[in-house]
Amino acid sequence: MKSDAGSGADARYGDYAHRLREFTAFDNFSDAELELLARVAHHTSTSKPWPMIHEQTPADACYILLSGEARVYVGRDPVAVLGPGEVIGESVLRRGKLRSATVTTTGPAEVLRIERDDLARLLDVIPALRETMDATVARHAPTAAVQPAKPKPTRAKVNASAPADLVDRFEQAASSAGVTVAAALEDALVHWIERNGTAQS
């Protein structure tokens, strides 16, 4: 993993600002605001998967993905894939909460890292940054899909000349075994035929 350091980094700020301009999330930023953002942020690149955020750890920075791809995990379950232009980890950073997910790059990637204190100052001087982060939070907020109620399965009834209490006991036994009455009846009939069937002439 490599980070910008030394005077050579100054020559790249304009390039970072230009690359940010390519993303719709930064359409409302002026050129000066993008350059300020690029100067405050720390550029980091990686050639292999890199866990930039760990679940259940304190939030100390947020990230802007310049290139590559990042996968979001809750526990061991992947829940989302993020692409270039995404702002990552800004929500809990502003709320002062623990990270709610792990975010790992899937391969080669470049990110701009913005420290907590730097973000607070940037939000004061770049109103568009707050709007971008609010829009990101709204876009990533989980939505509870309303699932239609499943119709109750129809339960086959034993249609035979048998005592009602015996039928009830049979249906209860099938339910306790976790099978349908039809399946239980078929199984019972197969076994009865095997025991009592006669050879055909």
Side-chain angles (χ1 to χ4, degrees), residues 52-64:
M52 66 176 77
I53 289 175
H54 295 272
E55 188 174 0
Q56 294 301 309
T57 60
D60 58 354
C62 67
Y63 301 84
I64 300 171

Side-chain angles (χ1 to χ4, degrees), residues 117-201:
D117 292 342
D118 291 332
L119 176 63
R121 288 191 289 269
L122 287 172
L123 289 172
D124 287 337
V125 298
I126 306 179
L129 180 59
R130 187 180 301 276
E131 295 172 5
T132 294
M133 291 190 167
D134 288 344
T136 300
V137 171
R139 188 170 66 254
H140 292 166
T143 56
V146 178
Q147 298 292 336
K150 294 183 179 180
K152 292 184 178 180
T154 56
R155 186 162 63 98
K157 295 289 185 179
V158 177
N159 185 16
S161 298
D165 63 331
L166 182 60
V167 173
D168 288 341
R169 287 168 55 196
F170 184 85
E171 292 177 349
Q172 290 173 6
S175 178
S176 298
V179 298
T180 64
V181 173
L185 181 58
E186 180 181 356
D187 184 68
L189 289 173
V190 168
H191 283 80
W192 188 91
I193 292 171
E194 289 176 350
R195 290 196 308 270
N196 301 286
T198 56
Q200 295 182 355
S201 55

Side-chain angles (χ1 to χ4, degrees), residues 18-37:
H18 177 73
R19 293 172 67 182
L20 289 172
R21 174 65 69 200
E22 297 175 356
F23 305 128
T24 57
F26 300 94
D27 282 347
N28 295 331
F29 287 63
S30 68
D31 291 342
E33 289 171 339
L34 286 179
E35 185 167 347
L36 175 60
L37 178 59

Side-chain angles (χ1 to χ4, degrees), residues 23 64-70 82-87:
F23 305 128
I64 300 171
L65 190 60
L66 286 179
S67 67
E69 185 180 82
L82 306 176
E86 290 280 2
V87 182

